[in-house]
Amino acid sequence: MDNGGFCYDNYHSGSSDDELVDISDVTVDYNEDVPPLDRDYSTGHCKADWRPNSSPKLMDLLDVSGIGTYEDFNTIDWVREKSRDRDRHREITNKSKHSTLALIFSISDAFSGWLLMLLIGLMSGALAGGIDIAAHWMTDLKEGVCLDGFWFNHEDCCWTYNGTTFKERDKCPQWKSWAELMVGVSESTVWYAYMASYFMYVCWALFFSFLAVILVRAFAPYACGSGIPEIKTILSGFIIRGYLGKWTLIIKTITLVLAVSSGLSLGKEGPLVHVACCCANILCHFFTKYRRNEAKRREVLSAASAVGVSVAFGAPIGGVLFSLEEVSYYFPLKTLWRSFFAALVAAFTLRSINPFGNSRLVLFYVEFHTPWHFLELIPFILLGIFGGLWGAFFIRANIAWCRLRKNTSFGHYPVLEVIIVTLVTAFLAFPNEFTRMSSSTLISELFNDCSLLDSSKLCNYTSVGGGRGGSVNATIANALADRPAGPGLYTAMWQLALALLFKMVMTVATFGMKVPSGLFIPSMAVGAIAGRLLGVFMEQLAVYHHDWAIFRGWCSPGTDCITPGLYAMVGAAACLGGVTRMTVSLVVIMFELTGGLEYIVPLMAAAMTSKWVADAFGRESIYEAHIRLNGYPFLEAKEEFRHKTLATDVMRPRRSDPPLSVLTQSGMSVEEVERLIADTTYSGFPVVLSLTSQRLVGFVLRRDLIISLENARRHQEGVVSVSAVLFTECDPPASPNAPPAVKLRSILDLSPFTVTVHTPMEIVVDIFRKLGLRQCLVTQNGRLLGIITKKDILKHMAQMANRDPDSILFN
């Protein structure tokens, strides 16, 4: 909206119980100060104060439902919401001093925030545990089924089998692949058995993805994507009705399992933030303090973002830091404590469910036995450079792909797009064992060091007895020092190189489709593959060239000095940081995720290098890039405004524009006000003393004005089209036969934020960011000259950055 905001949906748009904004009663205090204009100059007193019970015919606007709420695709007034909460708290405190019942209510009101955090943690943890269990089972269903019970995944089915190695346990008789069920032999025996498994893998993938996109399109269009860009925008004060509703929660939970199980290059960790915020928004409806105040509700949503990361990775501290660093717009100290409590409850709930079956909270537990050396910072920094380059490439490529989808007819067929991408992904993923497995399993295998029980090709080293030229029969999976690579490891390196290219291309094409799709795990998978490749290269370099200067002194012959799994962990952090531009929260999440507390320095070096390299190509993260692509009115706090423009350069009306639409304090009729509302689409109107003086009195919102006039016509006796509309406390002189006036002083904001025409835009931008304003009036010597809205600022910043200013759709 422009000049107070253009509304895309009028007030009468439909609403439902799962909207982000509820229509609720809002208390507005009277202003007891009487301006001179409202006085009878012969006596010095008001002619008719508008007080409760002063006139039985006047409607009390304090009881009108809907006043103080916001329309869809609108920005909340942070200042008004905070002031309203302070007034509510002050009233409760005053009443608690005079009544025991009021004291009990005051205590329960103070405790309600902690109770809400407890419920959010319990609900989010339970949903995350169910999603993890269901996704694990359905992912294994693509390859086979358990004869003891189809509801068992591969690991649970083979849990009681007494195999000595992981490979033997995977071949337990209770688990049957689809090839064994269809043709009677395993896929490794004959070619048609392999094709049968191939066929079933692709069919299951297509079925899961088709079901996911159909459910999203039919029941909850907001359930697609990651959700974090929209969460960031909502936390900044934007209204998107239904985005955090019950239908979005139900469909996102179901389709997230389907999308992850289909094998697409996406993760469930990002969408779990959306799921947790949906839980928070729904539970807020049961607490009046949060249901009626949008600013208070956003404090809860900030805590819910921390809960989402906590249950996604088993990283409660990293979740709090993620909410603080990446998504939150307003994060007071009280929210920090409650976020920590909610994340703790969620992590405990997830640990009680034990979806990973390993009695650990962390997703990728590692246990390295070799410390890292100072000289290894060089390859770690190289991984940081790779992560930054990957992040910059991914953001540009994905935004270009999404813009193509958005601006062409290609975007009109979301179901077909999902089917094609799934078909390509499944067809290319099955022949390579590293792409066939789920991304989480792949990352776990790349992170881990080799042990005596591992049967992966990544641990196929030539034994010490066999020497460097040992045969295939002499190769074993071991954890001994000085390990030359065996044939299986060379094969694994080629497969990993192909998997790296596959993951990079398919992640670009997948993120942004009309299915739930997270970016954390695919980005980590890209980095883990690159890190493992570099780690094995460094390891073999040390084995064959331990006399080089770089290894001399700390990597002597016969010592196991290089840990490839550590390189994979550092690479994962670098690539995730390059895409999201996280730093502090990323390092904390990574060491919580893996349990590798002693490797903080390599993670910090890689994360900072990745951010610096990626910022050299553009300072936007993938989430901010999608916010800008969708045209959401989001003022990024990290973006600096360096231009020397003034408020007069941005304010409206411009010289070629019509005059500013205003209301006068008195002298306008109901019909004139209704005509002004019908002829304009502004979200609010300045109120001036008179059209000639243009002295500013206050600001009134369009929504409040519409509701008040409709209720006045419906409930106030004698109101007609010629009735006067007054924004004063006292009645001006009127004829005895005049119809009763409609007094709207209670909905008038008497202290709107104002700047002068000479205020630098750098200061104006800071005011909008730090106070969360939706509009600011421009005055000169008390005379109203124009208005600056959040959209005007965003358009001006886009023009200064040589971007399309018309991409800002809402305000």
Side-chain angles (χ1 to χ4, degrees), residues 22-28 60-69 81 84 88 288-289 291-293 704 707 711:
D22 280 343
I23 303 298
S24 57
D25 295 342
V26 178
T27 301
V28 182
D60 188 358
L61 288 176
L62 302 183
D63 296 328
V64 176
S65 176
I67 290 182
T69 57
E81 296 296 311
R84 187 178 297 161
R88 184 197 63 83
T288 306
K289 177 167 65 173
R291 183 176 70 247
R292 295 185 176 183
N293 193 290
D704 293 353
I707 295 173
N711 280 275

Side-chain angles (χ1 to χ4, degrees), residues 610-780:
S610 173
K611 177 176 174 54
W612 288 335
V613 173
D615 282 349
F617 294 91
R619 301 185 65 87
E620 285 184 329
S621 71
I622 183 63
Y623 304 127
E624 292 150 12
H626 273 269
I627 287 174
R628 184 160 58 85
L629 177 68
N630 294 326
Y632 297 136
F634 182 76
L635 270 175
E636 176 55 55
K638 303 171 188 175
E639 187 178 356
E640 297 182 6
F641 188 86
R642 302 178 180 273
H643 307 283
K644 295 182 179 180
T645 53
L646 301 177
T648 186
D649 301 322
V650 182
M651 74 174 189
R652 299 200 179 201
R654 310 273 168 79
R655 292 182 178 179
S656 58
D657 293 341
L660 191 66
S661 298
V662 297
L663 299 171
T664 57
Q665 190 178 30
S666 59
M668 296 186 71
S669 66
V670 171
E671 183 180 13
E672 290 173 334
V673 174
E674 289 178 339
R675 187 183 305 116
L676 179 64
I677 294 173
D679 293 341
T680 61
T681 53
Y682 306 144
S683 68
F685 303 93
V687 178
V688 295
L689 202 61
S690 65
L691 293 178
T692 56
S693 70
Q694 290 288 312
R695 297 290 178 180
L696 180 64
V697 175
F699 191 86
V700 63
L701 293 178
R702 174 193 182 91
R703 182 183 180 90
D704 293 353
L705 197 59
I706 293 174
I707 295 173
S708 301
L709 291 178
E710 287 183 349
N711 280 275
R713 281 186 175 276
R714 188 179 299 115
H715 301 295
Q716 186 175 336
E717 183 180 345
V719 171
V720 293
S721 297
V722 296
S723 296
V725 176
L726 304 178
F727 293 96
T728 62
E729 285 196 8
C730 307
D731 289 337
S735 62
N737 298 326
V742 178
K743 295 194 173 185
L744 303 180
R745 174 112 173 155
S746 62
I747 66 172
L748 181 63
D749 180 7
L750 293 171
S751 57
F753 273 85
T754 60
V755 296
T756 69
V757 290
H758 300 297
T759 304
M761 278 305 299
E762 184 178 1
I763 296 178
V764 176
V765 171
D766 276 344
I767 291 174
F768 270 81
R769 281 174 176 161
K770 294 174 181 178
L771 295 180
L773 300 184
R774 54 192 314 212
Q775 71 273 322
C776 181
L777 301 176
V778 183
T779 62
Q780 184 70 12

Side-chain angles (χ1 to χ4, degrees), residues 102-112:
L103 178 62
I104 296 174
F105 177 77
S106 175
I107 296 173
S108 66
D109 181 78
F111 181 71
S112 62

Side-chain angles (χ1 to χ4, degrees), residues 123-134:
M123 186 174 179
S124 302
L127 284 176
I131 289 172
D132 287 333
I133 294 172

Side-chain angles (χ1 to χ4, degrees), residues 528-590:
I529 294 172
R532 189 77 185 202
L533 289 171
L534 181 60
V536 172
F537 172 77
M538 291 293 297
E539 180 189 47
Q540 296 306 304
L541 204 62
V543 168
Y544 289 100
H545 303 283
H546 53 75
D547 55 342
W548 283 8
I550 190 175
F551 301 115
R552 193 180 305 145
W554 67 278
C555 192
S556 57
T559 59
D560 189 12
C561 51
I562 302 292
T563 306
L566 173 59
Y567 285 74
M569 187 170 72
V570 172
C575 285
L576 183 55
V579 171
T580 63
R581 308 298 164 86
M582 295 188 298
T583 52
V584 179
S585 57
L586 172 63
V587 173
V588 175
I589 287 173
M590 287 304 299

